[in-house]
Amino acid sequence: MSQVLGDRQTLRRKLHFFYAPIEAQLADVERTLTEEIGSDYPAIDELLKHGFSLGGKRLRPALLLLSGKAVGSVSREHQVLAAVVEMIHTATLVHDDVLDEATLRRYRQTVNARWSNESSVLLGDYLFSHAFYLASTLDTTYGCRVIGRATNIVCEGELRQVSSRGNFDLSEEAYLSIIEAKTGELCACCCQLGAHYAGADAALVAAMARFGRDLGVAFQIADDLLDVLGDEPTTGKSLGTDLEKQKMTLPLIRLLDQVSPAERAELVEVLAGPAARAREVLSEWFARTDALSYAREVAQSLARRGVEELASLARNDATSALEAVAEFVVSRRL
Amino acid sequence: MSQVLGDRQTLRRKLHFFYAPIEAQLADVERTLTEEIGSDYPAIDELLKHGFSLGGKRLRPALLLLSGKAVGSVSREHQVLAAVVEMIHTATLVHDDVLDEATLRRYRQTVNARWSNESSVLLGDYLFSHAFYLASTLDTTYGCRVIGRATNIVCEGELRQVSSRGNFDLSEEAYLSIIEAKTGELCACCCQLGAHYAGADAALVAAMARFGRDLGVAFQIADDLLDVLGDEPTTGKSLGTDLEKQKMTLPLIRLLDQVSPAERAELVEVLAGPAARAREVLSEWFARTDALSYAREVAQSLARRGVEELASLARNDATSALEAVAEFVVSRRL
C-alpha cells in the first residue's frame, strides 16, 4: 500500500507543473467524480469505486480545464465535462483490461482480475452511460454531441486495432490513423470542449482540437514504446501485452520496413510465436537499428507540431502547462 | 437462410397488429439505422452490420412510436429516438451475449461466436456511443438525459444480477427490483419519450412510463420462463443459460419458497451442480408445484396493471396496439 502511495506521489510530483494552474478546479472535479460514482447496493458500490480508482493521472480533465484557462476562464461547464471525459476514459480502460486480459493497472488489481470479465464489461457500460447522462445535465447539446462523436470514433479505432492483430503488414500510416482514432480523438475532444466553453471562436476551437489530437497520438506512441521497453514495477501496469496480442506498434513497423525480405520473414515468424522469445529477439534488433529512436522522434515531432497550434495564444500559466505536458508525454517514464 | 427468413416472417406476422399503426414510421427508423450503423473500413462495416442484424423485433422503437401516437402525433424526434433506443438495446444484447457466452441469437451466430469477445465488447461500446451521439443531434438535452439515466439504471441492474449469481436465497422482491432496472427501465424510457415528444403533460408522461415499466418487467418474467421451458429451434437463441449461470428467476424462487427445508437443501445442491441435471430435476418439481403458473400469473397481473395506465387516453389504433402488446409479451412463444 505504501508502495502504491509512494508511486502515486512520485507521479503527482512529476506532473505538478501541469496541475498547478488548475489545482482548485481539479479538486472540484474529484469531488464530482466521488459523488457521481456510487450505488445504494454495497456490492456494486465497492466494484464501482475500485474500478474508478484505476484511472489516475487525470490527464484528460486537466487538458480540458487547461484549454479553458489558456483561452479564457474555467466555468461550471468545464468542471462537469472534465468529470465526464475522465469517466469515458476510465470506461475504455476497464474494457481495455478485459481485451488485454491485464491483471494489473496503476499497481492495483484490474476489475476483471478481482471480479470477472462480466463485471468489467458492465462496469464500463455503467461508466459510459453515466458520463453521457452527466453531459446531458448541461444547458445545450453541444457537450453531448462532441463527446458522443469522439467516443464513437474511439470505439471504431479500437475495433480497427483488434481486427489488425496479427497483421504484420500494417503500414505506419494505418497505425497512425488507428491511434489517432483510439487515443487522439478523446484528447482532441477535451481541448475542443475546454476552448468552446471558454468562448473561443471556431478557428481557435479547431486549433485547440488539433493540439489535443497531436498530443494524444504522441502520447500513444510513447505508451506503445513503454510496452516494448518498460518493466511492470516502474509503470504499475501489465506490460508486453502488445507483443502477446500480436499488436503492431511503431518500432516494429519501422523495424520490418528496414530489414531484408529474408530477415523480415524470420522476424514475422518470431512475432507470430511466443511473446517472451519475441521480446528477446527484438531487443537485439532494436540495439542495432533505429527503430526505437525513430518512433521516439515521430512522437516528439507530433508533440512539437501540436505546440505550434498554441502560438496565437497570449501566454499564461495554462499555456505553459500545455506546452510542458506535450514535452512530458513523449519523455515520461511513468 | 430460408429457415431464418421463414421464422422472421412468422414473428413479423404475429406482431403485425402491433406494428400496423406505425408501419411507415418504423420503415423510416429502419432506414436511419441502416444509414447510421456503418464504417468506411470494410472489416468493421461487416462486424457492425452483422451485430446489428441480431436485434430484431424492434419492440422498443415500436413502443416509443406507439406511445407518441397514443397521446398525440409522431414527429422527427420520435423517429430519431426510436433508432437510438434500438441501438442501446442492441448494445446491451451484444454485451449480454458475451456475459452469457451465448453462441446463437435470432437464428444467427452471435458476434462473440463469429468474431471474438473483444470485438463484442467494442461493438457494444460503439453502439452505445453512437446512440448517445444520435440523441444529441436533437434540439434539447431532454432525450439525452432520459436515455443516459435509463441506460445507467439498466447497467446497475445487470451488475446486481451478475453479483447475485449463485445466491439461491435471492428474494422475489430483489429479483423483481433487478429486472425492473435491467429490462423495465428502458421500456419505461421508450414510453416516456414517446409521450413527452407528442406534447403530453407531466402526469401523462409519468403514467406512460409506468405502463412501459410494467410491460418490461412482465416481458422479462416471460423471457425467463422461456429460458426454463423453451427449446432453441423455436426461440432462435441459446437457452438454459440462466441455469448454467446459476441465475435465479421467478419460477425457481417460487419453488424454493414452497418446499420443506430438507427439500430446499436438496434443490439448492442440484441448482449448484450441472445445468442438464438441474433441468431434469426441476421439470419434475415444476410438474407438481405451482411455480410456473405462479410466475406466469405475476407477469400477467403486471401487464394488466400496466394497461390500466392507458385508461385516461382516448382510444385509437395506437392504444389498442399497446394493449395488445401487453397481452402478447406474456403469452409469446417467440
Side-chain angles (χ1 to χ4, degrees), chain B residues 135-164:
Chain B
S136 73
T137 61
L138 298 184
D139 291 340
T140 71
T141 57
Y142 183 85
C144 291
R145 214 160 58 238
V146 171
I147 283 167
R149 195 177 157 277
T151 307
N152 208 37
I153 291 171
V154 169
C155 295
E156 194 185 37
E158 295 232 36
L159 276 168
R160 286 162 63 200
Q161 185 162 68
V162 167
S163 83
S164 302

Side-chain angles (χ1 to χ4, degrees), chain A residues 149-150 153-154 179-190 213:
Chain A
R149 195 177 156 278
I153 291 171
V154 170
I179 66 171
E180 185 177 317
K182 189 187 96 155
T183 311
E185 193 60 33
L186 193 58
C187 293
C189 160
C190 291
R213 187 169 289 112

